[in-house]
Amino acid sequence: MLSADFANLGRDVEMINQSEADWFHLDVMDGVFVPNISFGFPVIKAIQKLATKPFDVHLMIVQPERYIDAFKAVGTDILSVHYEACTHLHRTIFAIKEAGMKAGVALNPHTPVHLLKPIIADIDLVCMMSVNPGFGGQKFIEHTYQKCAELKDMILKANANCLIEIDGGVNDLTAPLLLNAGANVLVAGNYVFGSADPTKTISLLKHLFSNTTKLS
Ligand code: ZN
């Protein structure tokens, strides 16, 4: 939703409702963890009023544990916190689950995948940043394919039930390669909202998936 037109939010939410997308992906930025501020609870509540699909909330904020209940209250289904923002990650993951949400962990491009090994069986999703977080429309980092394959291998070896979500720079060129590397969920912002026909763009991306994978 970071790439939506906020002056026409209702129209863009309705487009997602009617499209083949599975989830709403909301990027919350605090101007501290990342060098940008996106939107907060008033905007999320406005989206919630109209949205008919699950909320996948990606917190790019420091001390995300302070807002777990608040994000549950605005209809969050999947809540992801950044590995780099959590001193007590295990505690935060379980607090998210206890609040009744699925728990995700997001990784910045420079953060190695192997750091997730001790908690991979406890989380529902890994949100792998494939651009530097903070702004929409950035260039895809090629190293992501290798990280994605490495993470897939770790998940299979641990027999974990964890989805791999790729966030940033997803388009018709990167998406097939990401799916080949083991991605389950693709976040597309600029590629969808910047296209001439967003509904059709979502449909084209969605058809790259098998029946068991998701697009948000
Ligand atoms: Zn995101």
Side-chain angles (χ1 to χ4, degrees):
M1 295 306 293
L2 191 61
S3 303
D5 178 356
F6 286 83
N8 291 286
L9 197 52
R11 180 200 66 192
D12 284 356
V13 170
E14 193 51 33
M15 184 279 290
I16 303 284
N17 283 342
Q18 300 300 326
S19 78
E20 292 178 56
D22 292 291
W23 301 343
F24 283 84
H25 184 85
L26 308 178
D27 288 309
V28 178
M29 305 176 182
D30 65 356
V32 178
F33 182 71
V34 287
N36 194 14
I37 296 173
S38 58
F39 48 78
F41 294 114
V43 170
I44 297 171
K45 279 182 192 164
I47 297 172
Q48 188 198 16
K49 276 187 194 159
L50 303 168
T52 58
K53 295 178 179 180
F55 271 20
D56 174 33
V57 176
H58 176 190
L59 298 184
M60 288 179 247
I61 67 173
V62 296
Q63 298 184 308
E65 64 279 358
R66 294 170 62 202
Y67 300 99
I68 290 170
D69 291 337
F71 279 100
K72 174 66 182 171
V74 293
T76 302
D77 297 279
I78 306 145
L79 188 63
S80 292
V81 295
H82 262 268
Y83 178 90
E84 304 84 3
C86 294
T87 309
H88 301 287
L89 183 60
H90 187 270
R91 181 187 290 161
T92 303
I93 288 164
F94 278 87
I96 293 169
K97 289 178 161 188
E98 276 164 28
M101 295 175 282
K102 301 256 189 214
V105 176
L107 289 185
N108 278 337
H110 72 274
T111 306
V113 160
H114 71 81
L115 293 173
L116 294 179
K117 207 169 177 184
I119 51 142
I120 197 70
D122 297 318
I123 58 180
D124 300 294
L125 177 140
V126 174
C127 174
M128 192 179 283
M129 293 299 307
S130 43
V131 296
N132 281 303
F135 301 92
Q138 293 195 92
K139 196 175 180 305
F140 184 83
I141 296 170
E142 298 287 323
H143 181 57
T144 307
Y145 301 121
Q146 193 187 322
K147 279 182 80 177
C148 185
E150 197 184 323
L151 179 60
K152 188 72 179 180
D153 188 52
M154 183 198 293
I155 290 168
L156 290 173
K157 279 183 180 150
N159 202 20
N161 189 17
C162 175
L163 297 172
I164 301 176
E165 174 178 70
I166 308 293
D167 192 0
V170 168
N171 58 35
D172 56 338
L173 301 174
T174 56
L177 298 170
L178 289 166
L179 293 174
N180 276 344
N184 309 107
V185 183
L186 300 180
V187 178
N190 261 38
Y191 181 60
V192 167
F193 286 104
S195 68
D197 186 344
T199 306
K200 193 176 168 194
T201 304
I202 291 171
S203 181
L204 290 172
L205 275 178
K206 189 65 193 292
H207 288 144
L208 297 172
F209 284 73
S210 69
N211 292 333
T212 53
T213 50
K214 302 271 182 186
L215 174 70
S216 72

